[in-house]
């Protein structure tokens, strides 16, 4: 029997890029037989100007999700998390925000690099694809060194989802120097990473980060690993989790992690 893993990265209509009501995500998780899930809507302060606001109404978010926790307490354990956009220039503000709310789980993600969102083509203008990727990894490293206000680093190599050639010419080996430094920094600070299956959904053939990075994290002594679909709609919850479980075992993991009250719990794969 295939284990039913807990989804620790998903979004709802509290995020600027989702229209799905929290109840719909919870109902889908229940239908899949998940014992728990954690909603992690976006909070990106001072995000580069674009078509979408990623500012979270935190008071209303907690109010709504707390009501749903009570309503569904006999069916599923609902965690209240956040995906926090890391930027070094607002380090103090992010730390204060993280401490101001009783989050179960905080994902630290770099969504803005060189003052731009990699989702848009202008991020890659004037640079080779490899140079753009490396500049993004350099920003990640700077942020992970600077911040302590998160539990797990989000989708480490998600920049490749949006490159001109996506991951056609990308590999861990090509960027192993800086990727290893990122992993060592996270491990040294007691932070985890995630296996984000949105890369599989986006047609990359690999999760974010790739199997080679996941394996290297384990080789370097990393133990804290969550599994997340990055779902913005119900049919993406738990996407390819059966495949994720198998590849994580191949990478040397025997356990994955869920968080409750910012504390890790380890569950068998």
């Amino acid at each position: 029997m295939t284990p039913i893993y807990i989804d620790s990265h998903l979004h709802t209509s509290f995020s600027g890029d989702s229209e799905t009501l929290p109840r719909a995500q919870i109902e889908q998780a229940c239908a899949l037989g998940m014992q728990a899930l954690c909603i992690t809507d976006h909070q990106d302060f001072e995000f580069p100007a674009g078509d979408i606001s990623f500012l979270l109404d935190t008071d209303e978010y907690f109010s709504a999700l707390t009501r749903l926790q009570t309503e569904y307490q006999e069916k599923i354990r609902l965690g209240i998390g956040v995906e926090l956009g890391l930027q070094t220039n607002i380090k103090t503000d992010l730390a204060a925000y993280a401490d101001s709310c009783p989050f179960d789980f905080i994902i630290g993600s770099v969504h803005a690099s060189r003052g731009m969102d990699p989702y848009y083509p202008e991020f890659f203008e004037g640079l080779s694809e490899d140079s753009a990727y490396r500049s993004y990894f350099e920003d990640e490293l700077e942020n992970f060194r600077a911040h302590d206000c998160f539990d797990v680093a989000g989708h480490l190599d998600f920049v490749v989802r949006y490159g001109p050639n996506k991951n056609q010419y990308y590999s861990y080996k090509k960027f192993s120097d800086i990727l290893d430094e990122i992993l060592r920094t996270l491990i040294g600070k007691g932070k985890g990473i995630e296996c984000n299956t949105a890369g599989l959904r986006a047609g990359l053939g690999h999760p974010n980060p790739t199997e080679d990075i996941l394996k290297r994290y384990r080789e370097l002594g990393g133990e804290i690993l969550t599994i997340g679909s990055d779902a913005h709609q119900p049919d993406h919850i738990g996407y390819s989790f059966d495949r994720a479980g198998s590849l994580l075992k191949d990478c040397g993991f025997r356990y994955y992690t869920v968080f409750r009250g910012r504390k890790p719990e380890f569950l068998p794969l």
Side-chain angles (χ1 to χ4, degrees), residues 1-5 34 167 195-212 214 225-229 236-254 256 269:
M1 182 177 179
T2 302
I4 300 170
Y5 302 122
M34 289 184 183
N167 63 341
C195 175
N196 186 307
T197 62
L200 296 168
R201 193 175 73 243
L204 301 181
H206 304 278
N208 297 116
T210 63
E211 295 90 333
D212 285 344
L214 292 165
L225 175 102
T226 59
I227 305 175
S229 65
H236 290 163
I237 289 181
Y239 186 88
S240 288
F241 273 22
D242 53 346
R243 181 174 174 184
S246 296
L247 72 83
L248 288 172
K249 290 177 183 177
D250 290 342
C251 291
F253 293 93
R254 293 295 173 263
Y256 76 109
L269 285 167

Side-chain angles (χ1 to χ4, degrees), residues 124-135:
F124 298 91
E125 290 177 359
L127 293 175
S128 69
E129 189 172 60
D130 284 355
S131 295
Y133 288 171
R134 182 167 289 276
S135 74

Side-chain angles (χ1 to χ4, degrees), residues 20-266:
T20 302
L21 295 176
R23 183 183 300 277
Q25 300 288 50
I26 296 167
E27 287 285 352
Q28 177 67 4
C30 289
L32 292 171
M34 289 184 183
Q35 296 180 338
L37 83 160
C38 189
I39 294 175
T40 54
D41 278 314
H42 288 290
Q43 179 67 290
D44 268 273
F45 297 107
E46 297 191 19
F47 195 70
D51 299 329
I52 300 173
S53 170
F54 288 101
L55 291 177
L56 177 65
D57 184 339
T58 307
D59 289 341
E60 180 56 30
Y61 182 62
F62 266 91
S63 178
L65 294 191
T66 300
R67 290 194 299 270
L68 290 167
Q69 279 181 327
T70 301
E71 180 179 344
Y72 283 89
Q73 62 185 335
E74 300 300 324
K75 296 181 178 180
I76 195 168
R77 189 181 90 191
L78 175 62
I80 303 177
V82 67
E83 184 177 9
L84 199 57
L86 302 182
Q87 296 189 61
T88 55
N89 61 302
I90 51 172
K91 176 182 176 179
T92 302
D93 293 336
L94 293 180
Y97 177 78
D99 288 341
S100 71
C101 304
F103 290 112
D104 286 301
F105 178 47
I106 298 180
I107 301 172
S109 296
V110 177
H111 295 126
S113 174
R114 294 184 287 113
M116 292 181 283
D117 181 352
Y119 178 82
Y120 295 102
E122 53 261 37
F123 179 83
F124 298 91
E125 290 177 359
L127 293 175
S128 69
E129 189 172 60
D130 284 355
S131 295
Y133 288 171
R134 182 167 289 276
S135 74
Y136 175 81
F137 294 140
E138 288 170 350
D139 277 350
E140 279 195 317
L141 178 58
E142 183 181 10
N143 274 283
F144 296 146
R145 283 174 170 167
H147 296 285
D148 290 299
C149 59
F150 66 99
D151 305 309
V152 164
H155 44 51
L156 281 180
D157 59 1
F158 102 120
V159 66
V160 305
R161 294 184 200 170
Y162 309 113
N165 298 289
K166 296 187 181 295
N167 63 341
Q168 184 177 357
Y169 305 111
Y170 161 75
S171 68
Y172 157 73
K173 184 177 181 180
K174 186 180 288 187
F175 301 96
S176 62
D177 56 335
I178 192 164
L179 289 170
D180 278 2
E181 189 60 30
I182 287 171
L183 296 177
R184 289 192 179 98
T185 296
L186 293 169
I187 293 167
K189 299 181 82 167
K191 307 300 183 184
I193 64 173
E194 68 169 348
C195 175
N196 186 307
T197 62
L200 296 168
R201 193 175 73 243
L204 301 181
H206 304 278
N208 297 116
T210 63
E211 295 90 333
D212 285 344
I213 297 174
L214 292 165
K215 182 178 181 180
R216 184 60 174 154
Y217 172 75
R218 186 70 195 96
E219 288 173 347
L220 291 170
E223 297 180 329
I224 300 173
L225 175 102
T226 59
I227 305 175
S229 65
D230 213 341
H232 289 67
Q233 57 193 60
D235 59 347
H236 290 163
I237 289 181
Y239 186 88
S240 288
F241 273 22
D242 53 346
R243 181 174 174 184
S246 296
L247 72 83
L248 288 172
K249 290 177 183 177
D250 290 342
C251 291
F253 293 93
R254 293 295 173 263
Y255 294 86
Y256 76 109
T257 314
V258 297
F259 280 79
R260 188 174 190 176
R262 304 286 306 277
K263 303 295 184 182
E265 301 174 0
F266 296 89

